[in-house]
Amino acid sequence: MPCPVARSLERVGEWWSILILRDASLGLTRFDQFQRSLDISPNMLTRRLNALVDADLLERRRYSIRPPRDEYILTEKGRDFWPVLCSLLAWGNKHFAPEGPSVVIINRKTGQQPDPVVIDRHTGQLLTPSDFQAAAGPAADKATQGRHSYPSQ
Amino acid sequence: MPCPVARSLERVGEWWSILILRDASLGLTRFDQFQRSLDISPNMLTRRLNALVDADLLERRRYSIRPPRDEYILTEKGRDFWPVLCSLLAWGNKHFAPEGPSVVIINRKTGQQPDPVVIDRHTGQLLTPSDFQAAAGPAADKATQGRHSYPSQ
């Protein structure tokens, strides 16, 4: 699938994968840390970690020879997933946290909570769906072009 | 799960659901339009559409009585997913589109392509992982607090 959203999802389009990236962004690196955080079966965790390593989002590093133990560090691509996590977090807090947020983003220095919004880096303009839309790009195939020929909702 | 990322994923944490929201943001509303775009089995599409309606991300509207036909319109919550789509798209284009982007975001008026970044609406500061971090919020349970006690990567 050529769509960049679909391509992203091919790498992380699984519940567990996104939560593992979330945990890695929080500083978790070791199998048992992920397992405790996620309450996930060892088999499933192994599979998801392997897939994230194969997708070059996590890097495996051996930190103990005996017993053999690996840790998992975010690659550059994996760290670049952070804005997606911020957007998901903001959306979740806005709509699905009636009891108040259980996770927030804070400024490391000031502790203040930002209001995460997506803008155009060049102009500073908010990327609202009324001002912006997705469009077929130079590498679009026929299916992609067709999908972008509807009047937007 | 109290984490807002996990809560978001409960609603959309399935490949197809995110692609349906993508297509709805592009203006697709009807079953056959989604089916053509996604190349998905009717059963699976029905299930995912129902789940998105149950999650209040799409609203079902009957547009034909005979034969009975529904269309699917984004709710406010569904439209609010747009920044997540923009972040996913930017990430996909940056890392997984070696042949060039097949989808881009454009300014509806000028046609110019923004560079989508996540900032703090209050201060304009870029939400980089070096300046910002996730932290347990007021409604955090014990597991959430534990997950946020690691030194960040």
Side-chain angles (χ1 to χ4, degrees):
Chain A
M1 289 215 223
C3 166
V5 174
R7 293 234 176 128
S8 299
L9 294 175
E10 277 171 26
R11 274 71 179 188
V12 297
E14 224 258 0
W15 234 87
W16 291 120
S17 304
I18 298 182
L19 293 180
I20 291 170
L21 289 179
R22 175 200 69 179
D23 282 358
S25 298
L26 292 176
L28 283 64
T29 57
R30 298 184 176 183
F31 195 90
D32 62 306
Q33 295 172 342
F34 291 115
Q35 208 188 351
R36 204 174 320 127
S37 165
L38 298 170
D39 198 14
I40 183 178
S41 80
N43 278 345
M44 175 66 93
L45 179 56
T46 300
R47 269 206 299 278
R48 301 323 307 167
L49 286 171
N50 288 344
L52 288 167
V53 169
D54 289 346
D56 192 25
L57 300 177
L58 290 177
E59 187 194 333
R60 187 184 281 114
R61 286 192 203 150
R62 182 132 298 190
Y63 69 87
S64 158
I65 304 290
R66 195 170 306 178
R69 290 281 183 274
D70 296 318
E71 61 183 359
Y72 296 87
I73 311 291
L74 288 169
T75 63
E76 192 209 332
K77 282 182 202 172
R79 278 192 302 273
D80 271 353
F81 194 66
W82 168 254
V84 182
L85 288 172
C86 289
S87 307
L88 276 171
L89 181 143
W91 188 62
N93 275 344
K94 180 170 176 189
H95 290 296
F96 312 119
E99 79 284 30
S102 76
V103 182
V104 293
I105 298 175
I106 57 171
N107 185 309
R108 289 174 187 272
K109 278 193 203 129
T110 66
Q112 286 195 309
Q113 293 178 26
D115 179 15
V117 290
V118 181
I119 63 152
D120 174 12
R121 189 200 293 262
H122 306 309
T123 65
Q125 205 180 346
L126 258 183
L127 254 61
T128 62
S130 49
D131 292 329
F132 290 86
Q133 67 179 83
D141 61 8
K142 263 193 142 171
T144 307
Q145 286 169 359
R147 195 179 296 131
H148 288 82
S149 59
Y150 294 87
S152 50
Q153 281 196 29
Chain B
M1 289 213 224
C3 166
V5 173
R7 293 235 176 128
S8 298
L9 294 175
E10 277 171 26
R11 273 73 179 187
V12 298
E14 223 259 359
W15 234 88
W16 291 120
S17 304
I18 298 182
L19 294 180
I20 291 170
L21 289 179
R22 174 200 68 179
D23 282 358
S25 299
L26 292 176
L28 283 65
T29 57
R30 298 183 176 185
F31 194 90
D32 63 306
Q33 295 173 341
F34 291 115
Q35 209 189 352
R36 206 173 320 127
S37 166
L38 298 170
D39 198 13
I40 183 179
S41 81
N43 279 345
M44 177 65 95
L45 180 55
T46 300
R47 269 206 299 278
R48 301 324 306 165
L49 286 170
N50 288 344
L52 289 168
V53 169
D54 290 345
D56 193 23
L57 300 177
L58 290 178
E59 187 194 332
R60 187 183 281 115
R61 287 194 202 148
R62 183 133 296 190
Y63 69 87
S64 158
I65 304 291
R66 196 169 304 176
R69 291 281 182 277
D70 297 318
E71 60 184 2
Y72 297 87
I73 311 292
L74 288 169
T75 62
E76 192 209 331
K77 280 182 203 173
R79 278 193 301 276
D80 271 352
F81 194 66
W82 169 254
V84 181
L85 288 172
C86 289
S87 307
L88 275 171
L89 182 145
W91 188 61
N93 275 344
K94 179 169 177 189
H95 290 296
F96 312 119
E99 78 286 30
S102 77
V103 181
V104 294
I105 298 175
I106 58 170
N107 185 306
R108 288 175 188 272
K109 279 194 198 124
T110 67
Q112 286 194 309
Q113 294 177 27
D115 180 13
V117 291
V118 181
I119 62 151
D120 174 11
R121 189 200 293 262
H122 305 309
T123 64
Q125 203 179 350
L126 259 182
L127 254 61
T128 62
S130 48
D131 292 329
F132 291 88
Q133 67 179 81
D141 61 9
K142 261 194 144 170
T144 307
Q145 286 169 358
R147 195 179 296 129
H148 289 81
S149 60
Y150 293 88
S152 51
Q153 284 196 27

